[in-house]
Amino acid sequence: NHAAKLKLGQKLNEGKTKQIFELVDEPGHVLVQSKDQITAGNAVRKDQMEGKAAIANKTTSCVFKLLQDAGFKTAFVRQHSETAFVASRCEMIPIEWVCRRIATGSFLKRNPGVKEGYRFTPLKMEMFFKDDANNDPQWSEEQLLAAGFELAGLTIGRCEVDIMSKSTVAIFEVLEKAWATQDCTLVDMKIEFGVNVTTKEIVLADVIDNDSWRLWPAGDRSQQKDKQVYRDLKEVTPEAMQMVKRNFEWVAERVKLLLESQVKGRVVVLMGSTSDVAHCEKIRKACGSYGIPCHLRVNSAHKGPDETLRIKAEYEGDGVPTIFVAVAGRSNGLGPVMSGNTAYPVINCPPITPDWGAQDIWSSLRMPSGLGCSTVLSPEAAAQFAAQILGLNDHLVWVKLRASMLNTWISLKQADKKLQECSL
């Protein structure tokens, strides 16, 4: 614990539950220090909760680590101590972005007639302007655009609003998927964005902890573990506060498990000869980006079918979910032979040459009955397809796919904005 070593500059900000300090030796970074305070209803109700700072810090650090590893842009840099983390310095966009899967709470008050438990598909996104004096009024996209916020030199226009809306939905889906592994329903949540003062990028900022969401184990509201338990207290007694604290601790312990895979799969790339190794390395590299172990093997189904079946048996025999990728030039015997003899998925990824490629490809496409192998020409896409299969059972792979999809969308959006500015 190197808490002593950080030189704190001035206090930049203080909220109900945390303080933000400048870091003298790390320009562009700040320290986010949690407080042992819990509040509800715009701090109408306010209590000390011993140990809350540590619980909140542990929770938010785990959640941000999950999102960061998935590939989302966030302000989180590293956990610093029991009760503080280091973050990139941001100018905050004064909006709470709320995402809902299930209708409950304030949504029901604002939309009389909707039954509690109504399920939003697609997710429901709402925005609230951070304005304590007016109890955080709900805002429309039009109001946000009309406000014309300028932060760290970036004007919040159409492009920025769309990026934040899309990001909110993606972040919700990722946390929903993660909590589902613990049989917990993520009902709704609120997040905030900032503009990183150094990079001028919009990043997920503030915190995500047990004050940020509703969490119902087994989808059962009566078992709720989030801050709603505190909001709902008839009166605040020491016993009641102990119960609230136990719930917060339960979440802080559980949230660590979200960083672990329940089921780890693998990809086995079989190549017909070592001349295909460059093609196969692309597959391995792409698998690495999803955190999927990838093994390369050399074997020809034409010249060594006994060995093909022995390698197959080796990977079928240890209980690890496996996807075989067959890389064979000219006539692809490898993929079809594997596919006809294993219940695991087989993906053909033939290295296509300009001369005979158009003819060779048919050896991967036209199969006898009883074979289910697919064919994907791009090595990166073959790895992505394997990741999508494994992502069905491994949320850590799925979250990387989801973040990558968002980042691709954001890149296109920004390229379009840039081009429009040039044209002007």
Side-chain angles (χ1 to χ4, degrees):
N1 187 350
H2 49 280
K5 286 195 207 127
L6 277 189
K7 250 170 80 183
L8 299 188
Q10 56 171 321
K11 186 199 289 182
L12 298 170
N13 216 320
E14 176 153 10
K16 304 189 202 49
T17 59
K18 56 187 177 295
Q19 300 170 312
I20 315 241
F21 295 97
E22 196 170 44
L23 289 180
V24 178
D25 300 324
E26 294 184 43
H29 284 175
V30 296
L31 188 72
V32 181
Q33 174 69 57
S34 290
K35 302 198 280 196
D36 278 343
Q37 181 161 275
I38 183 167
T39 72
N42 205 347
V44 172
R45 169 177 284 182
K46 184 158 68 176
D47 290 282
Q48 286 300 105
M49 186 168 124
E50 199 250 323
K52 172 163 188 290
I55 295 167
N57 188 55
K58 184 166 157 187
T59 305
T60 204
S61 294
C62 279
V63 172
F64 271 105
K65 189 158 168 33
L66 174 74
L67 294 170
Q68 195 107 301
D69 291 349
F72 290 97
K73 294 202 161 82
T74 80
F76 182 80
V77 176
R78 63 179 189 273
Q79 188 174 343
H80 167 64
S81 67
E82 281 285 277
T83 59
F85 68 90
V86 176
S88 303
R89 184 168 179 177
C90 293
E91 288 194 15
M92 296 300 294
I93 296 152
I95 296 283
E96 297 195 343
W97 301 78
V98 172
C99 201
R100 304 177 179 275
R101 175 64 79 193
I102 291 168
T104 189
S106 75
F107 185 89
L108 301 178
K109 291 196 185 72
R110 284 180 284 114
N111 298 271
V114 180
K115 296 265 184 290
E116 174 162 66
Y118 178 87
R119 197 172 173 83
F120 299 111
T121 47
L123 290 160
K124 174 67 73 186
M125 238 277 311
E126 299 178 314
M127 292 175 293
F128 297 86
F129 177 50
K130 287 176 69 82
D131 175 9
D132 283 345
N134 293 302
N135 276 317
D136 297 351
Q138 187 174 6
W139 266 21
S140 64
E141 239 170 38
E142 290 74 16
Q143 282 172 294
L144 176 48
L145 291 169
F149 292 123
E150 198 182 302
L151 299 148
L154 180 70
T155 305
I156 305 304
R158 174 91 266 162
C159 174
E160 291 68 30
V161 172
D162 287 349
I163 286 173
M164 289 185 278
S165 303
K166 276 268 194 214
S167 299
T168 300
V169 169
I171 288 163
F172 185 96
E173 288 178 1
V174 159
L175 295 179
E176 173 180 52
K177 195 62 106 181
W179 276 113
T181 66
Q182 302 302 309
D183 193 26
C184 276
T185 300
L186 185 61
V187 173
D188 50 39
M189 72 164 198
K190 82 102 185 143
I191 58 178
E192 294 179 32
F193 293 91
V195 178
N196 181 322
V197 296
T198 315
T199 65
K200 309 290 186 224
E201 282 182 314
I202 291 181
V203 295
L204 174 68
D206 191 55
V207 297
I208 300 182
D209 58 21
N210 205 32
D211 300 20
S212 308
W213 54 38
R214 283 191 177 88
L215 213 47
W216 297 353
D220 176 2
R221 182 183 148 182
S222 67
Q223 296 181 54
Q224 59 188 9
K225 296 289 182 192
D226 53 86
K227 193 171 86 168
Q228 196 58 37
V229 178
Y230 171 72
R231 294 187 193 104
D232 290 346
L233 291 178
K234 292 278 175 284
E235 53 172 333
V236 178
T237 63
E239 295 75 50
M241 287 306 289
Q242 271 311 110
M243 181 210 33
V244 172
K245 185 176 174 180
R246 273 198 305 276
N247 282 342
F248 273 66
E249 285 170 337
W250 185 91
V251 171
E253 279 312 304
R254 275 290 182 299
V255 84
K256 292 194 292 209
L257 302 175
L258 305 185
L259 297 169
E260 297 160 23
S261 290
Q262 317 303 110
V263 198
K264 261 255 171 266
R266 74 181 157 211
V267 168
V268 175
V269 179
L270 303 167
M271 66 189 102
S273 89
T274 45
S275 61
D276 302 325
V277 79
H279 188 80
C280 297
E281 278 301 343
K282 290 179 186 163
I283 300 175
R284 170 151 58 186
K285 186 171 175 235
C287 285
S289 73
Y290 300 113
I292 299 170
C294 179
H295 306 261
L296 304 188
R297 303 294 298 261
V298 180
N299 163 255
S300 162
H302 289 121
K303 306 168 202 175
D306 50 337
E307 184 65 6
T308 308
L309 297 175
R310 202 194 58 73
I311 290 173
K312 174 191 78 82
E314 181 186 325
Y315 290 108
E316 283 176 331
D318 62 2
V320 179
T322 300
I323 294 165
F324 294 105
V325 179
V327 175
R330 302 192 194 177
S331 181
N332 174 16
L334 198 48
V337 166
M338 285 296 292
S339 185
N341 292 280
T342 182
Y344 283 144
V346 176
I347 303 169
N348 297 312
C349 186
I352 292 299
T353 54
D355 53 353
W356 283 90
Q359 286 74 23
D360 293 341
I361 192 71
W362 291 104
S363 64
S364 295
L365 293 180
R366 195 155 154 74
M367 292 295 129
S369 63
L371 271 66
C373 48
S374 65
T375 298
V376 181
L377 296 185
S378 147
E380 291 76 15
Q384 185 180 350
F385 183 42
Q388 287 168 333
I389 298 171
L390 293 173
L392 291 169
N393 290 310
D394 183 346
H395 75 286
L396 292 188
V397 173
W398 190 90
V399 302
K400 287 192 168 78
L401 288 161
R402 184 65 186 87
S404 161
M405 203 163 90
L406 173 75
N407 289 334
T408 301
W409 186 90
I410 290 175
S411 302
L412 283 168
K413 191 87 182 160
Q414 287 172 331
D416 180 53
K417 181 189 170 189
K418 204 167 175 177
L419 194 59
Q420 283 173 303
E421 285 166 358
C422 293
S423 311
L424 296 174

